[in-house]
């Protein structure tokens, strides 16, 4: 049996960001093979697919990627890669997947079990890449299960909910085109800066005035760039931002209202606006039957409130039934800091809890 804490801390020292996770994928694949799993490398890039037994069975999933930020934990096993940090606990998820794999290999269930180690969760592209490379054609999946460490909950506490649990993420760019010029001659211009500022303010009405108050939605403007200079009124402004909700219907309402507001406000300033949207994450929706099965099998709080974060395991759950669970990472200290905080510390005491949860779910068939 692998020392899972040592395995996790080795991944932590050597974080890999995005879709390029060769070292992490090799470590997982090698350990799975040593435990007796049939491993396919290179699925959708550096993705790992592994099977125990043949035929249909449940799929357990872990994400393997780190964040492009600098660690500030001061830990003895801190990242040795400048500007890369396992600040979302994916090193822990990978170790727990391996632990479950070893437990299942030691006492195999009567049906097949499949494992998915995916890159690029943070970008929202890793699961889709593996699906596009035939994940569901390569293995027959009955249900899919995944978990994520969860700061603020007691170490090892499990929670989930039936239905939508995590948000979709929709990214927009609004480009405002006007007529720029000398800062002393506003009467000869159509000021894209002023139009853009008015659009930012008007976008605050989109959720408040067009979404059903019973639905959750949030729209945040996160970037504002101009081609102006000290004495130059800009001709062009690019406004970027992020909108979230739990359904395609909310997404469509927010898109339509934002377009109407941006184009209308721009026109009122003599400018033109174009609006482009790109959906990076779909909503994560847990299957009610799967949540009921998990609640029966595990000590689990099935009333986890919905959260506004996004998670690309949602692409898997959009195709097969299953559920995503949160695993408590502590209520105080660095384990309770928000995910993605430079000081966040994954709590190794959660590992055995995660292993038991994944193993138990895999045995449900
Ligand atoms: Zn994250
Ligand atoms: Zn994460």
């Amino acid at each position: 049996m692998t020392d899972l804490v040592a395995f996790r801390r080795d991944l932590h020292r050597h974080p890999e960001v995005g879709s390029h996770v060769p070292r992490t994928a090799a470590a997982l694949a090698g350990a799975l093979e040593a435990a007796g799993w049939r491993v396919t490398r290179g699925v959708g890039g550096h993705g790992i697919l592994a099977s125990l037994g043949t035929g249909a069975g449940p799929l357990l999933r872990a994400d393997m990627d780190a964040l492009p930020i600098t660690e500030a934990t001061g830990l003895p096993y801190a990242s040795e890669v400048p500007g890369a940090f396992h600040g979302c606990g994916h090193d822990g998820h990978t170790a727990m997947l391996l632990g479950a794999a070893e437990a299942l290999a030691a006492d195999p269930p009567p049906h097949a079990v499949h494992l998915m180690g995916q890159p690029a969760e943070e970008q929202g592209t890793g699961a889709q890449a593996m699906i596009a490379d035939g994940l569901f054609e390569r293995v027959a999946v009955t249900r899919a299960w995944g978990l994520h460490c969860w700061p603020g909950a007691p170490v090892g506490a499990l929670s989930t909910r039936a239905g939508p649990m995590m948000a979709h993420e929709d990214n927009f760019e609004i480009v405002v085109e006007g007529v720029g010029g000398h800062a002393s001659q506003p009467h000869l211009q159509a000021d894209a800066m002023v139009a853009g500022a008015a659009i930012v303010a008007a976008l605050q009405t989109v959720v408040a005035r067009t979404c059903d108050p019973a639905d959750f939605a949030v729209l945040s403007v996160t970037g504002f760039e101009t081609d102006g200079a000290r004495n130059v009124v800009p001709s062009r402004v690019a406004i970027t931002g992020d909108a979230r909700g739990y359904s395609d219907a909310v997404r469509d309402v927010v898109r339509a209202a934002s377009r109407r507001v941006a184009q209308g406000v721009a026109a009122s300033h003599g400018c033109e606006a174009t609006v482009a949207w790109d959906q990076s994450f779909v909503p994560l929706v847990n299957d009610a039957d799967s949540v009921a099965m998990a609640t029966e099998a595990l000590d689990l709080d099935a009333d986890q409130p919905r959260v506004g974060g996004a998670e690309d395991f949602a692409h898997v759950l959009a195709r097969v039934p299953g559920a995503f669970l949160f695993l408590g990472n502590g209520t105080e200290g660095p384990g309770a800091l928000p995910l993605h905080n430079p000081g966040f510390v994954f709590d190794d005491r959660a590992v055995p809890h995660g292993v038991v949860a994944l193993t138990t779910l895999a045995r449900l068939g």
Side-chain angles (χ1 to χ4, degrees):
M1 290 286 188
T2 301
D3 177 339
L4 296 179
V5 170
F7 181 84
R8 204 278 292 179
R9 292 183 177 189
D10 176 70
L11 298 184
H12 193 90
R13 278 182 198 272
H14 305 281
E16 296 174 305
V17 174
S19 56
H20 191 72
V21 294
R23 186 184 184 281
T24 311
L28 177 63
L32 290 173
E33 276 177 343
W37 288 68
R38 291 191 315 283
V39 175
T40 306
R41 294 169 168 79
V43 179
H46 289 136
I48 299 294
L49 191 57
S51 295
L52 186 70
T54 54
L59 174 78
L60 305 179
R61 172 270 204 179
D63 39 16
M64 305 188 290
D65 56 317
L67 291 162
I69 59 177
T70 298
E71 177 165 0
T73 62
L75 289 167
Y77 57 86
S79 170
E80 295 174 6
V81 181
F85 168 42
H86 268 296
C88 204
H90 299 185
D91 48 348
H93 305 165
T94 304
M96 290 186 280
L97 185 74
L98 174 59
E102 291 183 341
L104 290 162
D107 180 16
H111 51 78
V113 180
H114 308 293
L115 305 181
M116 169 186 183
Q118 73 151 91
E121 190 287 323
E122 298 289 353
Q123 289 88 338
T125 57
Q128 293 180 85
M130 291 186 72
I131 292 167
D133 197 14
L135 169 67
F136 291 112
E137 289 77 42
R138 292 169 188 257
V139 293
V141 176
T142 51
R143 286 178 199 279
W145 306 98
L147 57 74
H148 204 294
C149 61
W150 202 243
V155 173
L158 292 164
S159 63
T160 188
R161 67 178 290 117
M165 184 165 84
M166 300 184 74
H168 69 248
E169 181 180 346
D170 219 12
N171 302 113
F172 63 84
E173 183 182 49
I174 299 169
V175 175
V176 184
E177 309 252 24
V179 180
H182 199 284
S184 69
Q185 296 177 310
H187 57 297
L188 301 180
Q189 301 157 18
D191 188 339
M193 174 73 89
V194 173
I199 289 170
V200 171
L203 287 173
Q204 310 310 314
T205 67
V206 166
V207 171
R209 298 289 91 192
T210 58
C211 291
D212 184 333
D215 289 331
F216 167 87
V218 59
L219 184 153
S220 294
V221 176
T222 57
F224 193 102
E225 281 185 12
T226 83
D227 63 355
R230 181 183 61 83
N231 56 356
V232 179
V233 169
S235 301
R236 183 180 189 277
V237 165
I239 300 164
T240 49
D242 174 299
R244 292 166 189 245
Y246 295 108
S247 71
D248 291 348
V250 165
R251 177 199 63 197
D252 292 344
V253 166
V254 168
R255 285 187 177 197
S258 302
R259 186 180 306 277
R260 190 173 66 240
V261 163
Q263 292 179 338
V265 171
S268 75
H269 288 265
C271 299
E272 284 187 12
T274 54
V275 185
W277 287 91
D278 181 32
Q279 184 163 22
S280 45
F281 290 85
V282 299
L284 183 137
V285 182
N286 288 324
D287 165 58
D289 287 345
S290 300
V291 169
M293 290 168 61
T295 307
E296 180 90 14
L298 296 166
D299 182 9
L300 176 70
D301 172 9
D303 289 320
Q304 166 66 42
R306 294 185 303 189
V307 300
E311 163 61 57
D312 93 342
F313 187 56
H315 290 287
V316 174
L317 293 183
R319 285 165 177 81
V320 293
F324 195 57
L325 277 55
F326 292 152
L327 176 69
N329 198 63
T331 55
E332 55 188 21
L337 288 172
L339 297 170
H340 297 198
N341 181 291
F344 170 78
V345 175
F346 176 86
D347 194 322
D348 285 313
R349 293 174 299 170
V351 168
H353 296 275
V355 169
V356 168
L358 290 172
T359 308
T360 303
L361 295 168
R363 293 192 187 285
L364 297 178

